[in-house]
Amino acid sequence: MRKHILLAMGVGALVLPLAACNDPKDTATVAQSYGPSPTLPPPEHSRIPTVNIATVNRWHEGAKPVAADGMTVAAFATGLDHPRTVYTLPNGDVLAAESNAPPKPDDSIMGFIYRQAQRWAGAGRSSANRITLLRDADGDGVAEFRSVFLRDLNSPFGMVLVGEDFYVANTDGIMKFPYHEGDTRITAPGVKLADLPAGTLNHHWTKDLTASPDGSKLYATVGSNSNAAENGIEAETNRAAVLEVDRASGQWRVFASGLRNPNGPSFNPKTGELWVVVNERDELGNDLVPDYMTSVRDGAFYGWPYSYFGDHVDTRVEPRRPDMVQKAMAPDYALGAHTAALGLAFNTGNLFPQQMQDGAFIGQHGSWNRKPRSGYKVIFVPFRDGKPSGGPQDVLTGFLNDKGDAQGRPVGVRLDKRGALLVADDVGNTIWRVTPAPTSASR
């Protein structure tokens, strides 16, 4: 029934305020859905899911997102093809994974809804399946050189360099390539280190990647094959999880589970803990369930699909598993309902003010199923003693224009070699670079 309905629908002081919404009541609601103890309203059940897609109307010439007070933003590179993630090499070169979803012939009704929404939101093109290298040799904050670094990949997303081994997380596996500092392209054939859960359903296709601080392990994120296990729990084997991969052997195990769609794996510089951002489930109302960021503990279970934010039971999931609900860990910090957090980067540089040290930048791709829309911005969450401390602060807004059209949508975030923030904008086909605004003394 849903399918037919949808087919018919055709460095001084830095001030980072939480952006206001148009509706004061919604502003209060949004604020309550952030933080370590968000307000969780009763679930709402509807036979027809909310679909509120921002029509694509890409940046006009000279247009750009709105940077917070005390910050400035400029285009680092334009004219890319759906850039999803960015990665900084030791010599300062920047890699952009230009990627989109692979074909999904066995998609579910909910998957069909999501795919239609993504098409209308500018993500319906075939995948470029490449990684592009961007070089700013003169240090002016704009990449004047680019090269196809890797081609003929399979919906690549995560990237990480360990020594002279460069790893790419395709949608179906981790590939290893040789890299030497200064290389602008890799022509050697890759070697598959490990298969990752994929298949013809592959509902959440993005596979993100990072390496342990000592380089011995890789950590790959794998999203669920459904919204709330409607395709059967067997379809979720080794999914909704973070996998730990041994670099030497390629063998992997489930490191943590119950994470519906984790992305942005990053090690907290203060504690050494692994953190991720997670997209939570849909169809429970405008304000359920908040996406979140959390530390990830070895062997821990975070609730999906049986519960959310600890022991809040999702009554749609059968059979019930009270034993799993009892062991579900509540995440560390809510990021607002349906904001689609996809990027996470700790501020390990020294460019931004001291009060931002060790906090985290988060790219929120934006909702497709909430009224009014949420996300569509980059935020900063301050940390103290290795934990989030304080409310979210806007870094980049203005991805939606005054008509509610999407000029861009932020995804992956990463610091460059000088400590500036790079933001992949997949709808705007741009990599943005955010720095502190020049002070009067430095002009």
Side-chain angles (χ1 to χ4, degrees), residues 40 281 306-314 325:
L40 300 180
R281 67 204 75 195
Y306 306 107
S307 65
Y308 53 89
F309 250 87
D311 60 0
H312 296 82
V313 175
D314 189 337
V325 173

Side-chain angles (χ1 to χ4, degrees), residues 61-129:
E61 186 174 353
K64 60 183 180 181
V66 178
D69 290 346
M71 291 187 173
T72 187
V73 61
F76 179 74
T78 60
L80 297 163
D81 188 349
H82 210 249
R84 299 283 285 178
T85 55
V86 282
Y87 186 81
T88 304
L89 293 169
N91 70 339
D93 288 345
V94 173
L95 303 178
E98 297 171 273
S99 188
N100 218 327
K104 299 180 185 180
D106 295 343
D107 219 346
S108 63
I109 290 177
M110 190 61 200
F112 170 85
I113 295 170
Y114 179 78
R115 285 189 292 113
Q116 288 298 106
Q118 294 307 302
R119 286 195 183 104
W120 294 329
R125 297 173 299 185
S126 59
S127 179
N129 286 337

Side-chain angles (χ1 to χ4, degrees), residues 98-103 127-130 152-158 168-172 202 205-207:
E98 297 171 273
S99 188
N100 218 327
S127 179
N129 286 337
R130 68 172 175 254
D152 300 325
L153 300 168
N154 185 16
S155 295
F157 197 82
V168 179
N170 282 330
T171 192
D172 59 354
N202 204 19
W205 63 272
T206 58
K207 309 298 197 298

Side-chain angles (χ1 to χ4, degrees), residues 113-385:
I113 295 170
Y114 179 78
R115 285 189 292 113
Q116 288 298 106
Q118 294 307 302
R119 286 195 183 104
W120 294 329
R125 297 173 299 185
S126 59
S127 179
N129 286 337
R130 68 172 175 254
I131 295 172
T132 294
L133 180 141
L134 305 165
R135 178 173 291 173
D136 174 20
D138 59 10
D140 66 350
V142 178
E144 70 276 359
F145 172 84
R146 70 178 64 189
S147 172
V148 176
F149 187 69
L150 274 172
R151 63 173 76 247
D152 300 325
L153 300 168
N154 185 16
S155 295
F157 197 82
M159 302 173 277
V160 68
L161 177 69
V162 184
E164 292 189 334
D165 294 329
F166 181 71
Y167 297 91
V168 179
N170 282 330
T171 192
D172 59 354
I174 300 173
M175 299 294 295
K176 181 176 76 171
F177 299 87
Y179 168 80
H180 304 287
E181 185 167 317
D183 286 352
T184 59
R185 66 179 65 234
I186 294 176
T187 57
V191 175
K192 180 172 279 191
L193 176 70
D195 289 312
L196 295 176
T200 56
L201 182 55
N202 204 19
H203 177 65
H204 287 117
W205 63 272
T206 58
K207 309 298 197 298
D208 214 343
L209 195 64
T210 195
S212 61
D214 67 1
S216 65
K217 308 291 185 184
L218 301 180
Y219 292 88
T221 63
V222 183
S224 68
N225 241 343
S226 61
N227 176 44
E230 64 272 11
N231 296 321
I233 204 65
E234 298 80 11
E236 307 299 342
T237 302
N238 297 324
R239 299 190 71 115
V242 174
L243 309 181
E244 182 185 74
V245 186
D246 180 66
R247 278 187 62 228
S249 66
Q251 297 297 311
W252 57 259
R253 68 184 180 96
V254 174
F255 181 77
S257 60
L259 302 151
R260 179 177 173 268
N261 185 22
N263 283 283
S266 302
F267 280 89
N268 187 324
K270 199 77 172 179
T271 66
E273 295 173 312
L274 180 64
W275 284 66
V276 294
V277 290
V278 177
N279 289 193
E280 255 290 358
R281 67 204 75 195
D282 300 318
E283 296 186 273
L284 291 178
N286 261 353
D287 301 312
L288 281 181
V289 174
D291 295 342
Y292 59 85
M293 64 186 299
T294 192
S295 56
V296 181
R297 300 184 187 179
D298 190 355
F301 174 70
Y302 291 84
W304 190 91
Y306 306 107
S307 65
Y308 53 89
F309 250 87
D311 60 0
H312 296 82
V313 175
D314 189 337
T315 59
R316 299 172 299 179
V317 180
E318 296 288 349
R320 305 283 179 87
R321 288 292 303 273
D323 57 325
M324 299 299 288
V325 173
Q326 186 176 11
K327 67 184 289 189
M329 292 189 64
D332 287 288
Y333 192 94
L335 294 170
H338 312 299
T339 55
L342 288 175
L344 169 65
F346 284 101
N347 180 28
T348 55
N350 297 312
L351 187 63
F352 293 99
Q354 181 63 35
Q355 64 265 32
M356 297 182 71
Q357 190 69 34
D358 298 332
F361 295 103
I362 296 163
Q364 296 190 308
H365 199 221
S367 63
W368 61 271
N369 54 350
R370 187 179 188 275
K371 293 182 180 179
R373 299 182 180 104
S374 59
Y376 294 93
K377 58 184 177 179
V378 178
I379 63 172
F380 176 81
V381 175
F383 272 56
R384 178 181 297 172
D385 299 325

